[in-house]
Amino acid sequence: MGRLTRRAFPWLVLAGILVAALSLRGPIIALTPVLPDIIVDLGISSASAGLLTTAPVLMFAALTPFAALLIRRAGPELALLLSLGGVLIGTFVRALPGFGAMLTGMLIMGAAITIGNVVIPVIIRRDLPPERTAIATAAYTATMNVGSLTTALGTVPLAAITGWSLALLLWGVFTVVGIGLWIVHMVRSRSESTTERISGESASAEAITGPMPVVVDSRIAATLRRPIVWLLLAAFASQSAIYYAMSTWLPTILIETTDTDAATAGALASLFQGVAIAGAMLAPALLKYVGAVPAAVLMGACFGTMVLGMLLAPELAGVWASFGAIAHSSGFVLIFTGLVRVSRTNGEAATMSAFVQGGGYLFAAFGAPLMGALHESSGGWRLPLLGVLAVTIVYTTALIAAMLVAFRRA
């Protein structure tokens, strides 16, 4: 029956996943182009503003086990519907007056998105033919970046017409469409008496193909004694910290260091999201034709180019943001390709992925507030960018070491 369901509705399932993916990063990125207006209108500090993008990342780190439990109890279809519903509720709460409401809305979004992060790869593996799961996962990852790109580009023009609060609220239309499409799928699926549930098999290593936490295996101690796990954690944590810090502050840096207006700054910063779509496709080619270690060196160089470029010539931010986007998305593929390669069992792969992502997101959550605090204390962006450069050195060192271990038999 499960196979019949997959054959009958693969395009509807895929469409539902992709539309849902638009709501899994875009709402977080949407407020970054209007952060200067938010700071002024709400009378908050830069560090406090950084908490708005940090809150969802903290949820990613903290709520993975609860998300996994919910999915086991409710089933994947209902879990994804609850995820989208939570994003929509968070969108409405965020639009209420006051910093407290905005922060609460972002926390709700982060909790809801955590469920989506966990369940979508499971649905892809379960409901689509095995030979199509890699393509579907790539499309899902790319669509999340499309959502980020769209909101980064569109928020400022919308805010010019409606005000930033209503502009952020209007992005909820993606979530509404996703909810409607997923309900249609659930109704059709129920009519076919689909009864599949998440099992140990559905959390296997083959499902670790996208930016999501996975269910943890019980043999944690043995896994954590492996040095490669800590190398991968260091690489993922530093990469994620750079990504969320720069996603949060790049438009503001442009506004304050160049003659760029808010709309142009948002458009230039959107390259940090948009080029990542192509960057994810670059990593497999690099692994095949130049090798893992040279690819890791190249990703570190790309991040370094982004930071040094912003320090020396911020007026060329579009170029530097493109380098950063390639480093982020390609580096993600390198990290998780290495993780799957060194995992000795399916359970160990699951444990490693959960530990690397949970710890990495926890560390990354401090990136944006710390960068904002350094800006306030120094009165400029030179010191914060030098801090990002220091994290880039850690990232490059950890990624090269991890690739040496993971691909030493290649």
Side-chain angles (χ1 to χ4, degrees), residues 298-313:
L298 181 59
M299 293 309 101
C302 284
F303 261 148
T305 299
M306 175 189 68
V307 180
L308 291 174
M310 290 302 300
L311 280 167
L312 301 175

Side-chain angles (χ1 to χ4, degrees), residues 44-354:
I44 60 176
S45 65
S46 295
S48 296
L51 288 174
L52 295 174
T53 53
T54 298
V57 185
L58 284 172
M59 294 297 98
F60 296 168
L63 297 183
T64 299
F66 300 100
L69 178 61
L70 173 65
I71 293 164
R72 287 182 179 276
R73 295 289 179 87
E77 284 82 7
L78 182 57
L80 183 54
L81 187 62
L82 290 172
S83 172
L84 293 173
V87 171
L88 189 60
I89 291 171
T91 301
F92 277 103
V93 172
R94 183 176 64 179
L96 297 175
F99 175 72
M102 177 165 278
L103 182 60
T104 300
M106 295 302 290
L107 287 168
I108 294 171
M109 283 184 188
I113 290 172
T114 302
I115 300 170
N117 286 345
V118 177
V119 75
I120 283 183
V122 174
I123 293 173
I124 289 174
R125 184 175 184 274
R126 190 198 65 181
D127 289 349
L128 296 177
E131 66 274 12
R132 301 293 183 187
T133 55
I135 296 174
T137 302
Y140 155 61
T141 306
T143 305
M144 284 197 296
N145 285 303
V146 169
S148 298
L149 173 65
T150 303
T151 58
L153 279 172
T155 298
V156 170
L158 277 176
I161 300 171
T162 66
W164 59 262
S165 182
L166 183 56
L168 295 176
L169 180 62
L170 289 174
W171 291 122
V173 68
F174 287 151
T175 311
V176 172
V177 174
I179 289 172
L181 194 57
W182 199 245
I183 288 175
V184 171
H185 162 67
M186 290 178 66
V187 171
R188 291 192 177 186
S189 179
R190 185 170 299 175
S191 70
E192 294 290 329
S193 302
T194 301
T195 58
E196 293 185 47
R197 293 283 184 178
I198 294 177
S199 64
E201 179 185 358
S202 64
S204 67
E206 291 83 359
I208 306 173
T209 51
M212 71 295 181
V214 291
V215 181
V216 182
D217 182 70
S218 60
R219 293 170 295 213
I220 295 177
T223 299
L224 299 189
R225 284 196 292 267
R226 301 185 64 189
I228 183 62
V229 177
W230 294 92
L231 291 173
L232 291 169
L233 170 62
F236 184 74
S238 52
Q239 172 188 276
S240 298
I242 295 169
Y243 171 75
Y244 283 104
M246 293 302 294
S247 292
T248 300
W249 293 114
L250 188 54
T252 306
I253 294 172
L254 288 173
I255 292 170
E256 295 185 3
T257 60
T258 68
D259 294 328
T260 305
D261 58 32
T264 305
L268 290 172
S270 70
L271 291 172
F272 196 47
Q273 315 300 331
V275 178
I277 299 170
M281 306 300 178
L282 177 64
L286 289 174
L287 286 172
K288 181 177 181 180
Y289 293 110
V290 305
V293 173
V297 173
L298 181 59
M299 293 309 101
C302 284
F303 261 148
T305 299
M306 175 189 68
V307 180
L308 291 174
M310 290 302 300
L311 280 167
L312 301 175
E315 64 275 6
L316 298 177
V319 176
W320 315 136
S322 298
F323 276 100
I326 291 170
H328 168 67
S329 56
S330 295
F332 184 93
V333 176
L334 293 180
I335 290 168
F336 282 90
T337 300
L339 186 150
V340 173
R341 185 179 178 87
V342 300
S343 301
R344 295 169 295 197
T345 66
N346 291 345
E348 185 175 71
T351 299
M352 288 175 63
S353 182

Side-chain angles (χ1 to χ4, degrees), residues 346-389:
N346 291 345
E348 185 175 71
T351 299
M352 288 175 63
S353 182
F355 178 73
V356 167
Q357 292 193 68
Y361 281 130
L362 180 62
F363 181 82
F366 295 97
L370 181 57
M371 194 171 181
L374 288 174
H375 168 59
E376 285 198 338
S377 64
S378 66
W381 289 104
R382 182 177 182 83
L383 182 60
L385 286 170
L386 288 174
V388 174
L389 185 61

